[in-house]
Amino acid sequence: MAKVVSIHSFRGGTGKSNTTANLTAIIAQTGKRVGVIDTDIQSPGIHVLFNLEEENMDKSLNDYLWGRCPIEEAAYDCSPTLKVGGGEVAVMGGGMYLIPSSIKAGDIARVLREGYDVNLLHDGFRDLTRRLNLDYLLIDTHPGLNEETLLSITLSDVLVIILRPDQQDFQGTAVTVDVARKLDVPQLLLVVNKVLPRYDLEAVGRQVAKTFDAEVAGVLPLSEDVVSLASGGIFALRYPDHPLTQRYRQIAAKIMG
Amino acid sequence: MSPGLFDRLNQEMQARDKTPGLTMSDVLVLPEAERRLLNWMMRADEVSLAEVADRLQADETAARARLAELMEKGYVREIDIHGDVRYRVRLAPKRGREIPLNIWSALDDKVDK
Ligand SMILES: Nc1ncnc2c1ncn2[C@@H]1O[C@H](COP(=O)(O)OP(=O)(O)OP(=O)(O)O)[C@@H](O)[C@H]1O
Ligand SMILES: [Mg+2]
């Protein structure tokens, strides 16, 4: 059975997609098979981090939801970008597979206009895991609480909630933590992102843990290096020895248990 | 639009209106016992009568009654896998926005006039 991990935040722009992509790569580098699915149907974006160009995106989650293909046909093998000590990670049995949401305006409009069968999304998570023989399925979500996010949370073994040190994020996170508890998520982890580097990161972590009575899996500083990478790739692969990559690894270790 | 297509759309919209199923936002406001049972069923993907009885710490007759209630509400459906009966949560379709659901009948009224 694969471990299902949803990455969520109440508000937008907290760093969900960046964190998801980094965790995917780091877990895959340990020799695991990791799927990552973009359920942010109305504003997809994580494919950018995996350098999947729009013109190379033949099938997407949308095609699956419209019954045009089985879900695994919308999976892109991104394993070739993974390297461990110069060797291909595939040799170790690991791999990463991305299921993007369509970036075509017409497709986005259609799914918003017509809706879709949510049972298919439920089946899709299961089928993808089985057919690609995944150890982990990471789910990047749309901010706020909508049907697909609530479903993802319900089906998750681990929910990672990302927040910035910001009063609006704090309030939103309280709502999400409440919802996660109502949905009986077995493991809840908080990640504080974009913390000013002059702050004591560990102290921020302790404060947040206390506020929400939940485990903080990591505190990540606001990083100029992330800003200048500008979603042009996966940070942990680009800068394997960076202190921020170390922090991503700590979060991955908590998820992997 | 041809009359055939129009009828088909109309039927589809009416069927949609009646489609039962659980929405995730419903789950949040259900009574705790029901909510926890449905959460568990969703995570387990599909379950047998014996597993439900076990989960409820009840006998199979009581579990069957509980499932019948959930099926009546449209939240759960029975599936038959080669004679093996299993139960699965039935999620409501995500409805589209913008277009009011009764648009086709409203249009129909106009066209009839
Ligand atoms: N630790 C960080 N330091 C600096 N910039 C960051 C950090 N983490 C993320 N960012 C930047 O913040 C922006 C938003 O990140 P990302 O797209 O991952 O957020 P998101 O939560 O997925 O957003 P959305 O809600 O729009 O999907 C990006 O430009 C990213 O490069
Ligand atoms: Mg995102």
Side-chain angles (χ1 to χ4, degrees), chain A residues 9 12-18 20 38 40 43-46 49 140-143:
Chain A
S9 64
T14 52
K16 291 180 293 300
S17 299
N18 273 269
T20 306
D38 192 352
D40 192 351
S43 46
I46 196 168
L49 288 139
D140 188 15
T141 61
H142 184 68

Side-chain angles (χ1 to χ4, degrees), chain A residues 9 12-18 40 143 193-194 221-223 226-227 231:
Chain A
S9 64
T14 52
K16 291 180 293 300
S17 299
N18 273 269
D40 192 351
N193 190 22
K194 303 191 180 183
L222 183 76
S223 155
V226 175
V227 177
S231 299

Side-chain angles (χ1 to χ4, degrees), chain B residues 3-56:
Chain B
L5 178 60
F6 191 85
D7 283 347
R8 200 166 54 79
L9 283 170
N10 195 14
Q11 275 169 12
E12 192 180 300
M13 296 314 286
Q14 282 178 359
R16 256 204 201 198
D17 247 354
K18 279 187 244 136
T19 307
L22 183 70
T23 67
M24 291 306 305
S25 23
D26 291 337
V27 175
L28 293 177
V29 293
L30 288 176
E32 182 172 346
E34 201 163 317
R35 188 182 74 220
R36 301 204 70 179
L37 183 66
L38 291 165
N39 284 345
W40 166 77
M41 280 182 76
M42 270 190 271
R43 203 165 279 135
D45 201 41
E46 64 200 27
V47 293
S48 67
L49 179 64
E51 285 165 332
V52 175
D54 192 49
R55 172 84 188 178
L56 294 174

Side-chain angles (χ1 to χ4, degrees), chain B:
Chain B
M1 205 188 298
S2 74
L5 178 60
F6 191 85
D7 283 347
R8 200 166 54 79
L9 283 170
N10 195 14
Q11 275 169 12
E12 192 180 300
M13 296 314 286
Q14 282 178 359
R16 256 204 201 198
D17 247 354
K18 279 187 244 136
T19 307
L22 183 70
T23 67
M24 291 306 305
S25 23
D26 291 337
V27 175
L28 293 177
V29 293
L30 288 176
E32 182 172 346
E34 201 163 317
R35 188 182 74 220
R36 301 204 70 179
L37 183 66
L38 291 165
N39 284 345
W40 166 77
M41 280 182 76
M42 270 190 271
R43 203 165 279 135
D45 201 41
E46 64 200 27
V47 293
S48 67
L49 179 64
E51 285 165 332
V52 175
D54 192 49
R55 172 84 188 178
L56 294 174
Q57 295 182 300
D59 60 22
E60 293 203 354
T61 313
R64 200 186 303 271
R66 202 67 220 278
L67 285 165
E69 247 170 62
L70 293 172
M71 284 192 284
E72 176 61 31
K73 288 184 182 165
Y75 293 167
V76 167
R77 72 195 153 98
E78 208 174 69
I79 42 178
D80 191 318
I81 306 172
H82 312 298
D84 181 19
V85 178
R86 320 251 322 153
Y87 299 88
R88 192 159 209 263
V89 168
R90 174 180 198 167
L91 296 165
K94 176 147 170 158
R95 287 182 169 160
R97 296 179 191 159
E98 296 165 38
I99 302 179
L101 284 167
N102 55 0
I103 187 132
W104 304 113
S105 43
L107 272 173
D108 216 0
D109 289 348
K110 286 250 189 289
V111 173
D112 278 350
K113 272 170 204 160

Side-chain angles (χ1 to χ4, degrees), chain A residues 12 14 27 30 43 55 57 60 112 133 142 172 186 195 224 235 237 247:
Chain A
T14 52
I27 297 173
T30 68
S43 46
E55 58 268 27
M57 203 192 284
S60 64
L112 293 179
N133 195 17
H142 184 68
V195 179
E224 265 186 38
F235 191 87
L237 297 178
R247 288 182 176 267

